[in-house]
Amino acid sequence: MGMKITILGYWGGYPSAGGATAGYLVTTDEGNILIDCGSGVMSRLTFFTHVEKLSGVILSHLHYDHMADIGILQYAAVGAQRVGRMKNKLQIFAPDQPEEMRERLYGPHSEVHSIREDQPIRLAGADIEFFPVKHTIPCYSVKVRYRGKTLVYSADTAYFEGLVEFAKDADMLICEATICRGSCHTTGDGHMDAKQAGTVAQKANAKQLVLTHLPHDGHFEAMKQEAAEAFGKAVHIPNVTDTFIV
């Protein structure tokens, strides 16, 4: 098997009823990697795996819609450690800033590591790289390589050519598309629209594009069409049961 990517949450800002904000479970033959842990992600995660089976957790940045459930995941780690199911600490990789948010990650249940552009890591047999993107606080795009396949997650960012280069030839690009005509969801600072997401995917020669960080009042069919026109291929709008294999 290559990588199995399960989209646990894809809403921007806050979850829908029964949904979740940012959360992506990457499964290899050697373990599980959780990328982002937003609101509602913990309840979705338990359908697929348990905290003791996570090789590590990557937080692209320290906004609540990408980390709201990390404390709940840590509660689960405490319980698993207490009964002996989990022998090691929960491994968390996150930016250093904002400092007051970073401080909330620490505890006897977790080992917290700083994300660095020049320091790739290895989790669940996959090689992982980070690239700083253009958001309102320090934020990193994530590239996961496993057995010749590549997944790139944009995280939250405005459009810029550096992201195109980072996503070059990705088998799957999970790209934010927060801005939507007529939407009141965001002012647009540090975000992209669907056309820009499609443009990144097209310029990067990505094989598949999945839109994420979606606005609650967005016109998804129009967003899908705009992204597809820029990409030149079909585009995926996720739902709570989506799993992809790359």
Side-chain angles (χ1 to χ4, degrees):
M1 183 183 79
M3 289 182 283
K4 181 169 74 172
I5 298 120
T6 304
I7 303 201
L8 304 175
Y10 52 85
W11 292 107
Y14 56 93
S16 64
T21 59
Y24 314 91
L25 180 66
V26 180
T27 302
T28 73
D29 289 335
E30 301 168 60
N32 296 284
I33 306 158
L34 179 61
I35 302 177
D36 282 343
C37 191
S39 178
V41 166
M42 184 63 190
S43 66
R44 296 289 308 148
L45 180 69
T46 55
F47 284 106
F48 302 98
T49 192
H50 300 285
V51 64
E52 64 269 22
K53 295 182 180 179
L54 291 176
S55 301
V57 180
I58 295 168
L59 300 178
S60 64
H61 64 294
L62 301 180
H63 274 157
Y64 283 122
D65 56 337
H66 294 256
M67 64 170 288
D69 271 13
I70 191 66
I72 307 305
L73 184 64
Q74 288 171 316
Y75 284 158
V78 169
Q81 290 162 358
R82 185 178 295 132
V83 299
R85 289 200 323 269
M86 189 170 180
K87 305 299 182 184
N88 302 312
K89 292 183 178 182
L90 184 64
Q91 302 297 304
I92 300 175
F93 299 81
D96 289 335
Q97 299 293 328
E99 188 174 341
E100 68 274 13
M101 300 296 282
R102 166 91 176 199
E103 286 297 317
R104 299 178 188 186
L105 303 176
Y106 291 98
H109 37 63
S110 303
E111 190 170 324
V112 183
H113 311 269
S114 294
I115 286 177
R116 297 278 186 268
E117 180 182 3
D118 60 350
Q119 292 181 6
I121 63 172
R122 190 172 177 84
L123 292 173
D127 295 307
I128 302 170
E129 299 175 41
F130 305 103
F131 183 66
V133 292
K134 296 186 181 298
H135 195 42
T136 55
I137 62 171
C139 181
Y140 289 85
S141 181
V142 183
K143 181 185 293 182
V144 184
R145 289 192 177 105
Y146 183 72
R147 293 186 178 174
K149 299 294 185 179
T150 302
L151 164 70
V152 174
Y153 167 51
S154 70
D156 288 10
T157 181
Y159 179 90
F160 72 113
E161 291 294 322
L163 180 61
V164 172
E165 186 59 32
F166 187 66
K168 199 73 174 173
D169 297 325
D171 293 282
M172 175 173 285
L173 172 62
I174 300 176
C175 192
E176 79 117 280
T178 311
I179 304 168
C180 179
R181 190 181 303 109
S183 168
C184 298
H185 180 81
T186 178
T187 61
D189 291 343
H191 291 290
M192 289 190 287
D193 61 27
K195 181 178 179 180
Q196 290 172 316
T199 300
V200 171
Q202 189 275 328
K203 287 186 173 183
N205 192 37
K207 292 181 177 64
Q208 295 184 73
L209 172 61
V210 179
L211 302 183
T212 194
H213 209 266
L214 303 179
H216 288 266
D217 57 356
H219 188 318
F220 295 151
E221 283 306 311
M223 292 174 69
K224 189 175 180 179
Q225 182 176 347
E226 289 171 7
E229 287 175 357
F231 184 31
K233 300 178 186 176
V235 172
H236 301 284
I237 295 278
N239 60 55
V240 294
T241 60
D242 272 349
T243 297
F244 301 90
I245 303 292
V246 298

